[in-house]
Amino acid sequence: MVNFGRVPDCSGGHRGLPVTDAGVHLQDRLEILIEDFRTSADPPMPAFVLHAQDSADDGAVAELVQQLYEGQEAHSTRCAVAQNVYDGGTEVRRAAAMVRALSDPKKWGDPKAAYRRYTFPRLRLVHAIDDAVAELGDIWPATAPGSPDGGQDQRQRLLDQLARQRWRPKGRGRWSPGLQLSDMAHILPASIVAGLAALLARTDWYMAVGAGLALLVLLTVFSSVLPGRAPIFLWLRRESRWFLTTTFLRAADQEDPTEVSLLRPVRSWRAIAARAYDVAEALKAGGDFHLQLCVLALREDLRDNHRRWSWDLRGFKRPRPPMLFLPHADEHNGGIELIRAVNDVRSRRSELDPLVVVAAVHAQDVPRIERGAVRTTPAHAPSPHRFSDQLRTLYREWARNLRARQSPSGERAVLPWVMKVPLPHDQLGPVEDRHRHLRASHRPPIARLVWSLHTLVLVLAVVTAGTAMRAHTLHKQYCSAAVLTANRDTRRHAASDGSTECIGVATGDVRFADWLPKADRGDDPKPLVGRSETPWTVRQLEDLIAQQNADVLVNHADNHVTVVYAGPLSHDPDGSSLVKGAQELAGVYLAQAVINKGSSVRLRVLVANAGLDLGRQVDMAKAIATYAAHDPTVVGVVGAGRDLKSSRETTRILMEAGLPIVSGTNSATYLPHEYANWFSLAAPDQWQVQQLGLIAAQLRTQGKQQHALVLARDTTESPDMYTQEQARYGQDMLKAHGFTVPPKPRLYKRDGGRPELRRHARQICQNGTVPSVIYFAGRVEDLDPLMNQLSREPGCSGKPIAILTGDDLSKADFLHGRNRVAPEVTLYHAALAELDKASVQTDFYADAARHLPGVTGQHLAPGNPALASGQTALAHDATQALYDAASRDDKPQSRALTWVNLRTVRIPDMATGTIDFTTAPPYSDRTGHSIVLKKVRRNGDGIAEPDVLCSRVAGDTTALTETECDIKDPK
């Protein structure tokens, strides 16, 4: 048994200090009970009935109970005191009215005492039914419980009255302040679930919050505004579950359902309605049932208010049990009947409840409290120093006999839960040391500190801030992000012009067109003047590819291969086209559309963006490799069409991922020598320059010193490798043909997106040795500034100058005047695709007119501005070659087999001729590249006019000759 030494003394004085010896010892006994309750011992809580041995001391005993109440209230115990006489025709009715008064949370002390106020939903439900019966009055017949005379009409009357009361006690109306949106226990969680569902659906955060708030408002309106209806989610309330499951109300012949279920609201509602009708009949019949039901509901509510393992751990935050003090328990206020009802209900139930009852009865009323669980004390008055021992003995004997006294076969006169404490006269006198009394440990429980409203607010603030920071970080890093999730296949990167690029593999709802300016997206039908626009937009192509992919995944999930197009799909503010990869992407889509229309193995295309001029192709390659690691259908990459310093690392990353690369326009010489996974349709730079040497040889006058130079873009701070390759091979080629060439190429820089050529043009044209040949190792966007400077310099004016350059000039548009050539300057450049000769045998143009947006139904030819550069044709042929290797024997191949099969690919009648990789040994050059050598010169109208000097279609390995490429007589 617990001893006094375990409970510390109360420090300091306060209102309600015990003033008698009996008060001190009783206060100590209560504190010992509280300490046991605090340490999870769950002690049985008796109903202390205090009475004087001499009726002359009845007032002192009542005053003692009042002092105990004030002392416990000062100790922050949740306690209530019942002193009033309540209305009621019988003692039982007055006792029931007393219990009803206890359903007001304000009766149980200051809400700051511990945690928050009590709630009594079960007791309020009983009172609601009682008020409905009283409101119906005589028009609601008082039939016997279970009688068929009640009928459905009587039940409906009751339900209608309860609906008018909103299933709440009378006086707690729809707009009562006490309502406080009592359905929030279910409405708020439902709204949170709606918000989380919206978040998981990857909607914007404001859509998720809006969905939750909209549902909250809607449910609140249904719950509180609509007339004549039961509160929403009534069947899920805790009082309804108790109402249907307690055995106290369960009739043996009950035929109605008694369970509640979230998924069966109608059945649950019927069960509640049937139980309410049964209880109403019993209440109408009168008797002890009403009081005992109220006591049971009060007891269950208190148990629930101290349930430790509840969602809010409220039992840990309320370490002191509730106490009910009755200073005057008699027949006038129903206090004695209340004590008897508490005893009876506890005896019928097996669970312990935390309520401690302390009552004072008059000496003459002691016989009405039947003999307690222990024998009374001897008649002689105990000495003051022995009363504590006697009180301890009384409690021990009461606790020891409790089990036997509750037995149905025990003495019927015993009230086992009542502990009578007779108080002799000498114990009711003043105490010598008024400050000595005990108090159970009152430090704040850990649960209240860790799991409290303040902690919840702090946690919510931290979580909200963390979620906001997380959402901000995700939106800042990824192209498609929600509040908590993001599509990690694409990332945001800052572009050189201050805009944002979306880099990676477009999966899900990501579209690179969303990151382009309005004119690039295709939202504005007016093209920008001075650009070589295509009839289609990136958005159109992405949407068409997405439609093809959706069909493949739905109808051919097990019979398809996936190819990734890797290209520059960012906005080009200074280039000759809005989006440099738009023509290549059209070729890839065209190949996909043709393949999926006539092949059993379907082709799925993923679009990947490496940024403007492939400036972030390493990041793109990593994204492709990461995606391919969990998608085995990815068999290779098409594109990577620009030779940069990062091309080696890009190729290595994709090689380690097992992915072959088939490029249409990348003319790097070193890549096929260093990487076995590199395949290209473009003629290598070194071989291109050798073919341009056929023209340089004709420009050379034998036996005469002839000056030439290489003008190249400075790539010290640029990732460009193409111009380095062109400059190196051009320098060697000019020297090999006997030109007097400076030891190093002349390098020009770019500033703000524009080439700085004025100084170079002045030095070239004013040093007295104007070169007859300039090898221009630059990009197409630098051509017009060069021509402009040469035409303005007097030293070059009127002197013939030949400019040789590589395949990047195939992107120039001379036919429509968008690029020009200076007077007396003749431009010779290589192109990667011979389209005119190949057009006779290919279906490329007919397929393009059938599938490509913007040209549907038109008569297309190689000279069409949208196709003349050859980029669309080369991307188309590269995609066809990769698909052919991936679909050998009409079966999807693995990426390893696709890599192997590529060296056996030979496809005739393509847009550029015959695609033949059978002559492509690993780590070496292949033969049969397509090439065109063109001459561009001003005509009489001042318009640059291109002519083809000589050419070879893909697959033709016959070497070009000077005679065939005669610059005097272009073919």
Side-chain angles (χ1 to χ4, degrees), residues 206 609-610 695 714 892:
Y206 53 85
N609 182 27
I695 297 174
D714 187 353

Side-chain angles (χ1 to χ4, degrees), residues 197-213:
L199 285 179
L200 293 177
R202 298 277 313 280
T203 61
D204 294 323
W205 67 269
Y206 53 85
M207 294 292 292
V209 173
L213 292 178

